[in-house]
Amino acid sequence: MNKPALRRGLSRSPGNAAENHAAYHDRMSETLSGTIERVTFHNPENGFVVLRVKAKGRRDLATVVGQSAHATPGEFLEAEGSWHTDAEHGPQFKADSIRTAAPQTVEGIEKFLGSGLIRGIGPTYAKKIVAVFGVRTLDVLDESPTFLKEIRGIGPRRIQQIRESWNRQKAVRSIMVFLQSHGVGTARAVRIHKTYGDRALEIVRADPYRLAEDIWGFGFRSADELALRLGIDQQSKQRAQAAVRFALEEAVSEGHCGYPEDPLIGVAQQLVGIDPTILREAADELVRNGWLVRENDGPGEPWLWLKRLHDAETTIAERLTRLNQASSRMNVEAEAAKVEASMGLTLAPEQRDALREATRNRVFVVTGGPGTGKTTLVRGILEIFSTQGLRCQLAAPTGRAAKRLSESTGQEAKTLHRLLEFDRGGPKRNEERPLDLDLLLIDECSMVDVLLMQHTLRALPSDARLILVGDVDQLPSVGPGMVLGDILESKAIPFVRLTKIFRQAQESGIVRAAHAIRQGELPESSPPGKLGDFYFIEAEDPATITDRIIALLRDRIPARFNLDPFRDVQILTPMNRSELGVGKLNETLQGILNPSQEDEEVVRFGVVFRQGDKVLQTANDYQKEVFNGDVGRIAKIDAEEQELHVDFEGRRVVYEFEELDELSLAYAMTIHKSQGSEYPAVILPLHTQHFLLLRRNLLYTGVTRGKQLVVIVGSKRAMEIAVQRQDDRRRYTRLAWRLRQAER
């Protein structure tokens, strides 16, 4: 048919337009087949891939772009689509559909197995195995993996590892295909299989909303999209309950413990478009089933709570009140003079008063900013109780905070998670197996959320003492609640707020800057050319700010302050996204501090990990005993075993490649993630693109992370906004109210 006739044919009948268009498209579409040589890019969230393919009938490798649930080097590929020329990358085959199949050639099988797909088989063993079994290799892995013992170096342990990994990969691929066929990203397929095992698909089909609750990193919207594609009614009770629970979980992720019921129903209604009446009925049923708690007797309108958080607040209030009302049976004021003499110092009047109150009360709170003598007071408290023969234990929320506490006191300090012996089932220390101590002192208490404080108080012996130390002006905990702030607000628990800045501390530009920020004043920068410890470098646009940061890292800080840019300097930024956010800065800084080394790197979840990289743990992993906020260095990448080894300050932890979504690069991190840590030097980019997060307590927290040097690089306007704006976003908590009620 010539072109005019074709055009006439397409316009002949409106009723056949779709069929004619499809027919025309079929004539334009091509099929490309061949072997996948390399996976250049893979986005596991949406399945988008860029592949290099050795295609039949083509001399050079073809670039194929499209969507695939999985694609592995060595696999046979068949794609339907058409050729296009990209202005930057040249000719590309844009695939409308991609199908892959197990490789059939010896070369393809070797590349497939050597890709790191199967634990225990890397390029070396892939070559050995294929040399023995040839095209039968995949059948051997499927049916008789014990035959692998014929390969030199492969023993029973490795055979078992290969068998388990091969079977898991088959199951995971089934999950990936299922998810992508229903329009959902495949990034969490491994975690789904690990969580649900061989019943994964059965469980997901029955209740897709479980994915949002059980699978770390799997969001409600993805689960809801899958549920709707599986045929769940938009106005169903199941969807309504999931929406109410998700709305409450979202509130918790923002720091709230409970939430007023009417606004919460409104949030859920906006989320899913379900009639509010159905949502209220769903909330009623969740309350009856024990998932949620409705509280009507507090101040104001009724609130809804996740049961675990209502229990946490109630437990904290009850136990702190019980401790506070118990007899101290101790008065050692006469010992204070001996403590001062043994420590070789003179306590200020407010420190001496605080020391006296600490001995008189079973629970006591110490708060104050940098340079106000918290550390000295803590040492005095420990000295006075130790001389009385009390068993004192020190703890902090993070590893870095515990290390700092240990260094400043000369006594062992543990993280709260390790002290409570957390594992997958929760803390092993509780009422039945309490901690073996007489006094527990917790530093950096502003970081402790309600769940961790609940577990701590449950494990505290009934006759023990508790000292809480922290800076209430810092950011509240990442987790729900504001324990330290609520305790102080209640005025139900004895406390001291240290305000006097000691003379030695006044000489520090960092300390002066921190207190200026806390009081709503612009901090004073050290003059140019003069050696100080706090600087503000003005720069207006993000690109210039990035360039200045790089210059500081490469040249100025190492030359002038003799600090290692890799080990001693930490970049802290308000946001994750944006040009000056964590993601972009990490990508830039990794390229400078730890450039490409393809034989010693792995790409997972859109991140390149290289041997030597500084990395951050982003989730609590009780099995590995690493926790959200822990920072380490990549010590080894083992492609053969598909393992990455991280050194967390002398303790090596092993991750499978598919677990690397728990890690992120840590050359730059958010100020929130830095809580409890202290670094020799801190660089803070500050720009109005961070507007939503520019608040006084955020800047104050960032500045107080630096020990020897703090440099703020950014716009003066952004600094003014951050200093002037108080954080007026009130978290919905009732701990202060509960403590006051319990005192009556």
Side-chain angles (χ1 to χ4, degrees):
M1 184 184 292
N2 58 31
K3 289 184 179 178
L6 176 62
R7 283 197 292 269
R8 284 195 300 273
L10 285 173
S11 61
R12 187 184 310 148
S13 169
N16 292 327
E19 291 179 20
N20 288 324
H21 180 76
Y24 178 70
H25 182 269
D26 287 343
R27 289 171 180 267
M28 300 298 292
S29 182
E30 296 182 43
T31 298
L32 181 144
S33 60
T35 302
I36 300 173
E37 289 289 310
R38 187 166 67 252
V39 179
T40 303
F41 178 79
H42 175 220
N43 182 341
E45 298 295 344
N46 59 20
F48 179 76
V49 291
V50 179
L51 309 173
R52 296 286 281 165
V53 177
K54 188 175 182 179
K56 293 178 180 178
R58 299 185 65 86
R59 178 183 300 175
D60 299 326
L61 294 180
T63 299
V64 177
V65 297
Q67 284 190 307
S68 175
H70 57 81
T72 305
E75 284 188 311
F76 180 78
L77 170 142
E78 190 174 86
E80 291 185 6
S82 55
W83 286 98
H84 297 264
T85 300
D86 183 87
E88 184 177 350
H89 301 291
Q92 295 181 340
F93 189 85
K94 291 194 174 180
D96 299 316
S97 67
I98 292 176
R99 294 182 295 278
T100 60
Q104 301 297 320
T105 66
V106 168
E107 294 80 6
I109 292 170
E110 183 179 324
K111 188 175 288 290
F112 179 72
L113 293 181
S115 67
L117 181 74
I118 308 300
R119 288 193 73 193
I121 303 180
T124 302
Y125 278 114
K127 183 181 272 310
K128 290 181 179 181
I129 293 169
V130 173
V132 173
F133 298 109
V135 294
R136 295 174 47 244
T137 297
L138 300 186
D139 292 332
V140 169
L141 291 174
D142 247 339
E143 299 164 13
S144 308
T146 52
F147 285 173
L148 293 175
K149 66 185 178 184
E150 297 178 23
I151 309 299
R152 183 170 181 161
I154 297 185
R157 188 190 71 82
R158 188 177 292 273
I159 288 173
Q160 182 62 24
Q161 183 184 54
I162 291 170
R163 176 190 282 115
E164 290 174 357
S165 183
W166 178 256
N167 290 334
R168 186 177 73 179
Q169 279 299 325
K170 289 196 295 182
V172 167
R173 284 182 166 225
S174 297
I175 297 168
M176 293 171 78
V177 170
F178 170 77
L179 291 175
Q180 191 166 20
S181 68
H182 289 91
V184 179
T186 62
R188 309 299 167 191
V190 172
R191 289 200 177 276
I192 293 170
H193 182 258
K194 277 190 172 182
T195 303
Y196 302 138
D198 293 338
R199 295 183 58 233
L201 289 179
E202 174 190 339
I203 291 171
V204 171
R205 284 191 179 100
D207 185 6
Y209 292 107
R210 284 187 59 175
L211 292 169
E213 298 170 18
D214 299 341
I215 308 301
W216 185 78
F218 202 105
F220 172 82
R221 286 177 176 81
S222 294
D224 190 45
E225 180 183 350
L226 178 59
L228 294 175
R229 286 175 178 266
L230 290 173
I232 291 177
D233 190 292
Q234 289 193 4
Q235 300 289 320
S236 69
K237 179 176 69 176
Q238 182 183 12
R239 187 169 185 247
Q241 289 185 1
V244 171
R245 285 165 62 177
F246 173 72
L248 200 45
E249 290 281 7
E250 279 288 277
V252 169
S253 72
E254 295 172 2
H256 304 293
C257 289
Y259 211 81
E261 184 168 0
D262 285 346
L264 185 75
I265 295 298
V267 170
Q269 200 274 332
Q270 288 181 351
L271 182 70
V272 292
I274 294 178
D275 186 281
T277 303
I278 297 174
L279 290 167
R280 290 185 186 283
E281 291 171 355
D284 290 342
E285 186 158 346
L286 288 168
V287 170
R288 286 194 297 272
N289 293 341
W291 282 98
L292 304 184
V293 173
R294 179 181 283 115
E295 192 168 58
N296 295 303
D297 55 352
E301 60 186 302
W303 284 18
L304 287 175
W305 303 71
L306 295 172
K307 187 176 186 303
R308 67 178 189 275
L309 293 176
H310 188 269
D311 289 349
E313 271 205 1
T314 304
T315 299
I316 293 169
E318 289 174 350
R319 304 218 170 203
L320 285 179
T321 301
R322 192 185 309 161
L323 270 179
N324 191 40
Q325 293 174 345
S327 171
S328 174
R329 299 179 186 171
M330 191 175 192
N331 192 341
V332 290
E333 291 184 51
E335 299 293 324
K338 295 180 184 178
V339 168
E340 291 183 71
S342 66
M343 293 173 63
L345 50 80
T346 302
L347 295 173
E350 66 177 7
Q351 288 177 311
R352 197 174 290 113
D353 290 343
L355 187 61
R356 185 186 310 114
E357 289 301 308
T359 64
R360 287 177 173 175
N361 295 282
R362 291 276 297 283
V363 56
F364 188 65
V365 181
V366 178
T367 188
T372 57
K374 291 197 304 292
T375 299
T376 300
L377 178 57
V378 165
R379 288 173 56 203
I381 290 171
L382 294 173
E383 182 80 15
I384 204 166
F385 282 118
S386 295
T387 58
Q388 300 299 307
L390 271 66
R391 298 163 298 166
C392 302
Q393 176 64 60
L394 281 61
T398 68
R400 281 180 173 266
K403 185 178 180 182
R404 285 175 52 208
L405 181 59
S406 182
E407 290 170 349
S408 65
T409 61
Q411 297 190 33
E412 181 191 19
K414 296 181 179 180
T415 65
L416 284 168
H417 285 95
R418 291 195 173 94
L419 180 68
L420 298 173
E421 300 176 18
F422 265 84
D423 61 15
R424 280 182 171 180
K428 292 181 181 176
R429 293 288 189 170
N430 48 39
E431 297 96 336
E432 286 73 39
R433 190 168 170 258
L435 295 166
D436 189 20
L437 52 79
D438 299 308
L439 178 142
L440 175 61
L441 187 146
I442 304 174
D443 196 14
E444 294 288 354
C445 205
S446 62
M447 295 179 63
V448 180
D449 63 33
V450 291
L451 293 169
L452 188 53
M453 182 57 77
Q454 176 199 30
H455 291 310
T456 302
L457 291 174
R458 287 182 60 196
L460 197 68
S462 58
D463 58 350
R465 293 170 174 269
L466 178 66
I467 307 287
L468 304 177
V469 182
D471 185 348
V472 75
D473 292 315
Q474 288 186 21
L475 290 166
S477 58
V478 175
M482 41 190 298
V483 173
L484 182 62
D486 281 348
I487 290 173
L488 295 174
E489 182 189 323
S490 75
K491 295 184 171 57
I493 304 297
F495 72 93
V496 63
R497 180 160 192 159
L498 302 175
T499 56
K500 175 182 170 59
I501 306 174
F502 288 88
R503 186 176 61 188
Q504 185 176 358
Q506 288 176 348
E507 297 173 3
S508 165
I510 296 173
V511 171
R512 292 197 305 272
H515 284 277
I517 291 166
R518 187 175 64 81
Q519 292 163 11
E521 301 168 2
L522 285 173
E524 183 180 343
S525 175
S526 298
K530 182 180 179 182
L531 196 64
D533 62 0
F534 177 81
Y535 294 88
F536 174 66
I537 299 174
E538 191 165 2
E540 289 300 326
D541 66 277
T544 304
I545 293 172
T546 300
D547 289 343
R548 297 277 167 83
I549 290 172
I550 292 170
L552 286 164
L553 277 172
R554 273 180 169 165
D555 307 314
R556 295 174 65 179
I557 289 178
R560 196 164 189 190
F561 296 92
N562 196 30
L563 293 172
D564 183 331
F566 199 109
R567 185 185 62 247
D568 298 329
V569 184
Q570 182 62 54
I571 313 297
L572 300 179
T573 182
M575 299 182 76
N576 279 302
R577 295 186 176 88
S578 83
E579 193 173 342
L580 293 171
V582 167
K584 187 65 176 176
L585 285 173
N586 268 322
E587 184 181 327
T588 301
L589 297 173
Q590 182 191 43
I592 293 168
L593 298 175
N594 196 22
S596 180
Q597 41 186 341
E598 288 189 12
D599 57 332
E600 294 181 329
E601 67 181 36
V602 59
V603 182
R604 283 296 186 277
F605 302 97
V607 179
V608 178
F609 295 99
R610 295 174 183 151
Q611 186 166 320
D613 273 338
K614 185 192 296 187
V615 290
L616 174 76
Q617 176 74 17
T618 59
N620 290 336
D621 190 321
Y622 300 113
Q623 186 174 13
K624 292 183 174 65
E625 292 188 13
V626 285
F627 303 99
N628 191 355
D630 287 353
V631 175
R633 292 275 294 273
I634 296 177
K636 179 182 177 183
I637 295 176
D638 189 335
E640 200 84 29
E641 299 292 337
Q642 290 190 70
E643 291 178 346
L644 183 146
H645 298 230
V646 180
D647 185 293
F648 288 99
E649 301 195 4
R651 180 172 170 270
R652 186 168 286 204
V653 176
V654 178
Y655 295 79
E656 295 179 23
F657 283 175
E658 299 302 336
E659 296 175 318
L660 295 183
D661 56 344
E662 291 186 10
L663 293 177
S664 67
L665 296 177
Y667 299 102
M669 67 175 71
T670 62
I671 295 172
H672 281 86
K673 288 287 187 184
S674 74
Q675 286 177 262
S677 298
E678 188 176 71
Y679 312 94
V682 163
I683 301 175
L684 279 160
L686 212 59
H687 193 267
T688 50
Q689 67 178 209
H690 301 145
F691 181 80
L692 292 175
L693 292 176
L694 291 178
R695 287 180 169 82
R696 188 181 301 171
N697 59 352
L698 185 100
L699 182 58
Y700 174 81
T701 301
V703 167
T704 54
R705 299 308 90 202
K707 187 176 182 181
Q708 298 170 234
L709 176 68
V710 173
V711 184
I712 297 177
V713 185
S715 72
K716 190 172 182 181
R717 178 59 183 150
M719 172 87 84
E720 290 171 346
I721 292 170
V723 167
Q724 292 167 6
R725 287 173 75 193
Q726 288 269 35
D727 193 347
D728 55 2
R729 298 168 299 174
R730 173 69 187 176
R731 290 187 170 189
Y732 285 109
T733 70
R734 279 182 172 168
L735 179 58
W737 173 76
R738 294 186 205 286
L739 286 166
R740 288 193 293 266
Q741 291 294 110
E743 282 291 295
R744 292 179 181 175

